[in-house]
Amino acid sequence: MTSTATVMPSATQLPVADANRIRTIRHRSEELIAGLEPEDLCLQGMADASPAKWHLGHTSWFFEEFLLSGCAGYRPADARWRYLFNSYYEAVGARHPRPQRGLLTRPTIAEVLRWRDEVSTALEEHHTHLNPQLLELGLQHEQQHQELLLMDLLDGFSRNPLEPVAQPNSALETAHAQAAGCEAPLEWITHEGGLVEIGHQGAGFHFDNETPRHRQWLEPFAIARRLVSNGEFAAFIADGGYQRAELWMSEGWAVVQQRGWCSPRYWRDEDEFTLLGRQRRQADAPVRHLSWFEADAYARRAGARLPSEAEWESAAASSGLEQATGCLWQWTGSPYRPYPGFAPAAGAVGEYNGKFMSSQFVLRGSCFLTPAGHERLTYRNFYPPASRWMASGVRLAQAVVA
Amino acid sequence: MTSTATVMPSATQLPVADANRIRTIRHRSEELIAGLEPEDLCLQGMADASPAKWHLGHTSWFFEEFLLSGCAGYRPADARWRYLFNSYYEAVGARHPRPQRGLLTRPTIAEVLRWRDEVSTALEEHHTHLNPQLLELGLQHEQQHQELLLMDLLDGFSRNPLEPVAQPNSALETAHAQAAGCEAPLEWITHEGGLVEIGHQGAGFHFDNETPRHRQWLEPFAIARRLVSNGEFAAFIADGGYQRAELWMSEGWAVVQQRGWCSPRYWRDEDEFTLLGRQRRQADAPVRHLSWFEADAYARRAGARLPSEAEWESAAASSGLEQATGCLWQWTGSPYRPYPGFAPAAGAVGEYNGKFMSSQFVLRGSCFLTPAGHERLTYRNFYPPASRWMASGVRLAQAVVA
Amino acid sequence: MTSTATVMPSATQLPVADANRIRTIRHRSEELIAGLEPEDLCLQGMADASPAKWHLGHTSWFFEEFLLSGCAGYRPADARWRYLFNSYYEAVGARHPRPQRGLLTRPTIAEVLRWRDEVSTALEEHHTHLNPQLLELGLQHEQQHQELLLMDLLDGFSRNPLEPVAQPNSALETAHAQAAGCEAPLEWITHEGGLVEIGHQGAGFHFDNETPRHRQWLEPFAIARRLVSNGEFAAFIADGGYQRAELWMSEGWAVVQQRGWCSPRYWRDEDEFTLLGRQRRQADAPVRHLSWFEADAYARRAGARLPSEAEWESAAASSGLEQATGCLWQWTGSPYRPYPGFAPAAGAVGEYNGKFMSSQFVLRGSCFLTPAGHERLTYRNFYPPASRWMASGVRLAQAVVA
Amino acid sequence: MTSTATVMPSATQLPVADANRIRTIRHRSEELIAGLEPEDLCLQGMADASPAKWHLGHTSWFFEEFLLSGCAGYRPADARWRYLFNSYYEAVGARHPRPQRGLLTRPTIAEVLRWRDEVSTALEEHHTHLNPQLLELGLQHEQQHQELLLMDLLDGFSRNPLEPVAQPNSALETAHAQAAGCEAPLEWITHEGGLVEIGHQGAGFHFDNETPRHRQWLEPFAIARRLVSNGEFAAFIADGGYQRAELWMSEGWAVVQQRGWCSPRYWRDEDEFTLLGRQRRQADAPVRHLSWFEADAYARRAGARLPSEAEWESAAASSGLEQATGCLWQWTGSPYRPYPGFAPAAGAVGEYNGKFMSSQFVLRGSCFLTPAGHERLTYRNFYPPASRWMASGVRLAQAVVA
């Protein structure tokens, strides 16, 4: 009786990734570490983050484990690396404890880069014979880790009193350019609600958690055209936002006390710590690196709330939302749960998304660190409500009295 | 633009609680501790639980703080008790740390009972002049704590190798009677889905979180007529349910490892620890005292899932669900979040429900410890997904292919 | 080749404890709880402390386990209590976790007192046939726990904002009387050093750790005639004593920071919390309830140091030390280690002292809570350097240039 | 009245370190990292250990802070490094938290090595004008960190499943050579005891904690000619040594349970993890990398005990102890406390030794990682009793019946 819709696109739907696409995406990862020191690449600032070198290894492992290991003639670089670079796939076996990834000074970055070359070459060579869905999944996975690599690096660097500066590169230059965009007064876009459809449908790549496309009923609502700015968030702080228990979820209030939060994560005096080093904070730039608890509290003080993910997706699909993608991931008020009829992909890759559907909130859009072409309006990102090391921001919503 | 519907029923809607109702409910709390030792009443088994004496004091404090303190001529028993018996109301001020409630050997139970008498007498005397909504809220609050008192006591007693037995009383005798009811084979009730309405409406008492009544779209689904039984859960265990990572949320799997879970909380060999002491476990009784993670994993192995709260409420309102109330709280797949248009009650009592709307799941129905008349089909109970000291159970649901 | 001197006095040396002595000592324990509530007796303020009821049970268990269990016709009260009331004797078997003693609301105090009666009666009946050394050890053990019971109770009561008052009794009245004694200016008693003998010798009762009596070489030293006073310690605080890292052991400095210490444990404004409730602190009373770290830091600022235990014992035996016993336990600079040639008693009672000889410091003398007749100049008490819930004080010493 | 003997040797006693000695010792540190990867140098395996790069920086900081900062014309490399490379000198100011040293990917190893060159050059240039005591102290300090660097690296590498191998160098080759020496049956050397003198005296360099030389009374004792071997320790394990509570200090037994200890730290099956990688363990080599608790338990089972430091020093000075230096640090039964009349050096360097005199035990001798010429029979090394990442071993002692 259960509906088990196919959630991975079928081979006929998805064009085979060609060698050029493989090369471009793989190469992009390596570009990210240009100018960094070998020490930097082994840096793990906290248990939730991973060293850049680990990301570079793990994305290679993913291809090796799920695609190349079955290729005649392909020989894994080192059998023991399977243990080191498995992230969380229980079906694949035991793995190195996540909080200890920073202790893996070996393999060296040189060895990992050599491995990457071998994996990339094998992928380019064999790509016509590989499962095209899994190949595309591997490339999308690689792109996800490009973003993770940078946000984890920022976390690690932020713990060094010397405030290191990463070598500027295109992703980061974009970041700099994005440090504005909230100049206009806050405008509300109304949506009449009713029966809407959300979720992915059709031929293009998507993750299993974006399906099945399904109906939801929405009450009329309004959603902000742009994100909340640094200047607006500064007003929240000036108004005692971090001292007023009534604005916070009980759980969030406890976190504020325990960790002594009094501003977004990377604010430092009048500045902000970034991958380009310490930079003057712009009042008109969207506020970033805040937790769901802070986003929720901000909205409550504003007499508003966070949009649900269905509201966000419907509005983004139909109206003129600014900063919907390419700027900051946007917290929604929706806990991360399966869509009606959801079934995870078969096999170990079924662990990709489905097993994280508790105690997290959905973020929508994409961020300035997201590789171009990786974003989708149906994309569901998710983090626990106390996390704030990713490039998150806030968009407000509110009910509309009909 | 925001809709701020009045979420507390207005005075005209709600009949004033009469002195008899006050006396009956207050007295019921005191009956619960009949036969217990003074030591038992100060027992706090863990930080999440509270001593029975504290519950008896806190429910009195609630009336004193929100109702009696404004009465001419009423004198609080001891100004310092305000600090001791505030649970979590930030607006009321600082409070005794929750994990240290068991250290409060003073005031003694005799003093607390004397205080209860004074508060009850004052309520009966003044009840015609009190805010009827707050008075009713206080009584409902008292009833909630009657259930909490018993479940916390069970937790505390469960930590004593002597396996103490609480004095039987009517609530517990009911419990014993409830130790059956799953004899019939599992049957599914189908629901065609569509646009449904859930939430409370009308004159009766309800908590703010049950409103506003609103529409939701449901896909067709089936829901189990009865709860999952001990015998069925034993089969899950026998099938390696606690050892199969693929059945669990990642977060739940970590909890299983850390705490060494291998059965529901109070299972002991062939028995079960209860307030009536160690009792032989009945295969046909509904399985109880399990976490959301266990309920979710059980459902996944069964090729099913937990119902959403909208599904549960719709089915309970329209179909022949057995064990819907008076048996066990039933985990849903719905994270606890505000209904569209929800606004918490004004003032300190607005902290009652609204600030807990993160990282918890909704349970529906009521349990055998719930005082008669306290249950409602729109009632939203909530606990974190790893909690299992309350009387929780599992009802399955699944999608229906149209 | 190893010297294994008999460390328990032989039967011929030790007079058999008569029924009267048994009755008196056992009864004394029960007197201590006069006026306390049943709730108070189950109070465990922290993992290091135990509830009064547990002390009353444990001292009975000691007799049952090591003496009565071998008596024809003696029937243990409840086989399961053996598990509950074993403190730390690995040779006896598994035991209830220490931090959870406060959860044992059962057996009730009434049951424990009934058990005490049975044990006392059996001891009085059988005492002529019991091992006189073990019988005496049991009585001394009971006396030790009389002191522990009171200091643990003080710790527990100190955590209640109501500042409970224990019923005055003789031990506590003495305490009140002791709240003075440091009026005279600090005087130094010199000792020429040389080869001294310390440790117990002869017929009287003593613990194994006081033997063998042995020689030690001492350099000339001076020792303070009286203890450090509250007034003197207040000067240390006023001088920034808790803020000056150079006065502290590195380990102690970390504790000061972590726990936010800024005065002795029970100081409250101008008062001091005691078993008689909150009392005005007397400048001329000896400062009490401080850790070894605080004692050591105080001495360093005074240009002095703590006496070694050999210095203390030699001076106490030969000179006019005031407040040597019956006042406060006095920290020494000596880590607790075995005397040369020490061998623990045979059997499970060998765990009594010997296994604690690491990471603790020796205290000498006795305190106002110590039962009369229990003190000895060779007595070696010991606690970890961060402990301060016992009745500890400070006596200074310093080197003498010959 | 206090004796404040000068504990740092006076300038006239100590020959000024010449430029050659400075160069040789400084260069030695840099040789230790030959063949290691930059990643390896930032590795911090646990909070107690430090990255190699940090050791290289800290030893330079020591010279800069205590000697060069006062030299006309000397300019510190980077004012912020003062914060990064201060270890524990409270008098110098705030410092980077020890557990986060591994997060300092910057300054890079190249920058640190450049700084080392500048410091070394300045020392060589100015050495005739520098305080010769502090200069020598800096060099001895550098040598201590050479040993620490290697033992910390071993700890870090031991956490990598790849079991990295450090480039062999002379220190490590010696280690390999030392993997034997316990072939002979255990022989006992007797010492008649009496009044002995221990501690440093005379013109050579020494740390303040080795003074003043003073008298101690010793009872007759016997001490083992050689250290305990791997083979002998394996017999302890085979005899259930790690399962027999009666052999252990209570504190040590708790550590064994918590950490699951069942062999010395680096034992792996039949092998041992070393800086030369995984090596076959030799039965005739001295057992190493064990805690004081393990050494103490081993001795107890052997019917022996650990020597006191006075016994060790007396025996080493007068008899034919084998493996006294250059092999393994040897646990003694002596807690680390000041000698009678001890006074720490004046100023911030007074924090060097004196503030660690609680909760640690003394080790004597030196180890195969200790730089040649750095050892002394009066040397007092010290570690907490649960530490085992340093090159520690066991020598037995016992009392002799006169």
Side-chain angles (χ1 to χ4, degrees), chain B residues 134-152:
Chain B
L134 283 173
L135 177 55
E136 184 59 31
L137 183 63
L139 293 171
Q140 298 278 346
H141 174 257
E142 179 105 21
Q143 289 184 309
Q144 286 188 311
H145 278 273
Q146 288 164 4
E147 179 179 325
L148 295 173
L149 185 157
L150 293 171
M151 74 187 227
D152 288 358

Side-chain angles (χ1 to χ4, degrees), chain A residues 229-245:
Chain A
S229 73
N230 281 325
E232 287 160 345
F233 201 84
F236 167 81
I237 298 176
D239 189 34
Y242 284 96
Q243 284 85 48
R244 293 169 53 190

Side-chain angles (χ1 to χ4, degrees), chain B residues 13-78:
Chain B
Q13 290 176 307
L14 203 64
V16 177
D18 61 20
N20 191 46
R21 174 161 162 78
I22 294 170
R23 196 177 310 123
T24 305
I25 289 177
R26 291 283 290 171
H27 187 54
R28 174 75 180 131
S29 296
E30 290 136 24
E31 283 173 341
L32 295 178
I33 64 165
L36 292 170
E37 302 291 333
E39 290 102 314
D40 298 335
L41 304 177
C42 203
L43 172 61
Q44 180 177 33
M46 61 174 178
D48 284 336
S50 297
K53 185 174 71 179
W54 189 90
H55 285 296
L56 295 176
H58 167 67
T59 46
S60 296
W61 166 87
F62 191 93
F63 286 114
E64 198 173 273
E65 180 70 35
F66 295 120
L67 282 154
L68 298 174
S69 63
C71 286
Y74 180 81
R75 237 179 95 238
D78 187 322

Side-chain angles (χ1 to χ4, degrees), chain C residues 1-2 90 195 215 217 219 245 249-251 253 292-293 303 333 335 337 354-359 398-399 401, chain D residues 1-2 90 195 215 217 219 245 249-251 253 292-293 303 333 335 337 354-359 398-399 401:
Chain C
M1 202 188 300
T2 313
E90 301 278 353
L195 199 59
R215 286 166 287 188
W217 181 264
E219 298 300 322
M249 285 291 124
S250 176
E251 187 192 2
W253 183 242
W292 183 89
F293 292 125
R337 292 289 297 148
K355 71 182 187 183
F356 300 109
M357 292 177 166
S358 65
S359 307
Q398 54 184 357
V401 179
Chain D
M1 202 188 300
T2 313
E90 301 278 351
L195 200 59
R215 287 167 286 188
W217 181 264
E219 298 299 323
M249 285 291 123
S250 176
E251 187 192 4
W253 183 243
W292 184 90
F293 292 126
R337 291 290 295 148
K355 72 181 184 184
F356 300 110
M357 291 174 168
S358 65
S359 307
Q398 55 185 356
V401 179

Side-chain angles (χ1 to χ4, degrees), chain D residues 270-288:
Chain D
E270 300 304 303
D271 300 333
E272 186 173 30
F273 184 66
T274 76
L275 282 168
L276 300 174
R278 194 169 174 136
Q279 300 282 333
R280 174 57 51 127
R281 200 168 64 238
Q282 302 300 325
D284 285 340
V287 63
R288 54 187 175 180

Side-chain angles (χ1 to χ4, degrees), chain C residues 180-198:
Chain C
C182 299
E183 296 77 9
L186 194 67
E187 259 182 74
W188 297 91
I189 300 171
T190 56
H191 188 291
E192 60 189 4
L195 199 59
V196 301
E197 280 206 0
I198 64 164

Side-chain angles (χ1 to χ4, degrees), chain C residues 230-388:
Chain C
N230 281 326
E232 287 160 344
F233 201 84
F236 167 81
I237 298 176
D239 189 35
Y242 283 96
Q243 284 85 48
R244 293 169 52 190
E246 76 273 17
L247 298 175
W248 297 78
M249 285 291 124
S250 176
E251 187 192 2
W253 183 242
V255 172
V256 167
Q257 309 307 306
Q258 282 161 19
R259 309 194 190 171
W261 284 355
C262 55
S263 70
R265 171 136 180 200
Y266 294 125
W267 285 25
R268 294 183 177 184
D269 303 325
E270 301 304 303
D271 301 334
E272 186 172 30
F273 183 66
T274 76
L275 281 170
L276 300 174
R278 195 169 175 137
Q279 300 284 332
R280 175 57 52 128
R281 202 167 62 236
Q282 302 301 324
D284 286 340
V287 62
R288 55 185 173 179
H289 291 294
L290 29 64
S291 64
W292 183 89
F293 292 125
E294 287 159 299
D296 175 68
Y298 178 87
R300 188 164 291 107
R301 174 178 164 278
R305 58 170 173 76
L306 301 176
S308 71
E309 56 174 329
E311 289 172 341
W312 192 97
E313 187 173 325
S314 299
S318 64
S319 328
L321 289 194
E322 290 170 6
Q323 300 167 316
T325 59
C327 184
L328 292 173
W329 290 103
Q330 298 155 43
W331 284 112
T332 71
S334 300
Y336 178 48
R337 292 289 297 148
Y339 282 168
F342 166 74
V349 294
E351 298 184 48
Y352 200 103
N353 282 308
K355 71 182 187 183
F356 300 109
M357 292 177 166
S358 65
S359 307
Q360 314 221 31
F361 279 90
V362 172
L363 300 100
R364 288 302 196 102
S366 69
C367 78
F368 66 90
L369 299 172
T370 311
H374 185 70
E375 71 284 342
R376 258 185 320 285
L377 293 186
T378 57
Y379 205 109
R380 306 176 79 197
N381 202 351
F382 48 90
Y383 279 96
S387 298
R388 44 187 218 161

